[in-house]
Amino acid sequence: MARGCLQGVKFLMFAFNLLFWLGGCGILGVGIWLAATQGNFATLSSSFPSLSAANLLIVTGTFIMAIGFVGCIGAIKENKCLLLTVSAPRTQAPSLGPAPYLC
């Protein structure tokens, strides 16, 4: 009974991390599309021309993709270090404080 429950939790962790990875792919794709089609139209600040909506989406999508990928690998391999590394940005992001429980 307990073994089946743990397999279910493992599958759910993998599924949610896969959703994060797919969401990151989507955000990255929209960012690349904006960069290719809009050029500098969506520049957020005239003093920082590289700070555009497209670049922000590309960076955010890449970060979310990396977190999702590490989470998927950590869930499949049941690696505690990878799972703690994934959970740190998700729990510490609102406070922007240090993540004390990284490996």
Side-chain angles (χ1 to χ4, degrees):
M1 175 72 180
R3 181 77 175 153
C5 184
L6 290 176
Q7 287 298 104
V9 170
K10 179 180 173 180
F11 173 75
L12 283 175
M13 287 183 71
F14 176 79
F16 283 121
N17 282 302
L18 184 65
L19 287 175
F20 269 94
W21 185 77
L22 289 172
C25 286
I27 292 171
L28 179 64
V30 169
I32 291 172
W33 174 75
L34 276 176
T37 60
Q38 302 298 324
N40 290 333
F41 175 72
T43 301
L44 299 176
S45 173
S46 60
S47 59
F48 297 111
S50 63
L51 183 64
S52 67
N55 290 344
L56 229 60
L57 287 174
I58 289 171
V59 169
T60 304
T62 303
F63 181 72
I64 293 173
M65 272 182 59
I67 294 294
F69 179 75
V70 170
C72 283
I73 299 299
I76 291 295
K77 299 288 185 181
E78 297 179 14
N79 189 327
K80 184 178 178 182
C81 181
L82 288 176
L83 291 174
L84 288 175
T85 303
V86 166
S87 68
R90 291 182 187 165
T91 58
Q92 295 294 321
S95 66
L96 295 178
Y101 47 86
L102 289 175
C103 300

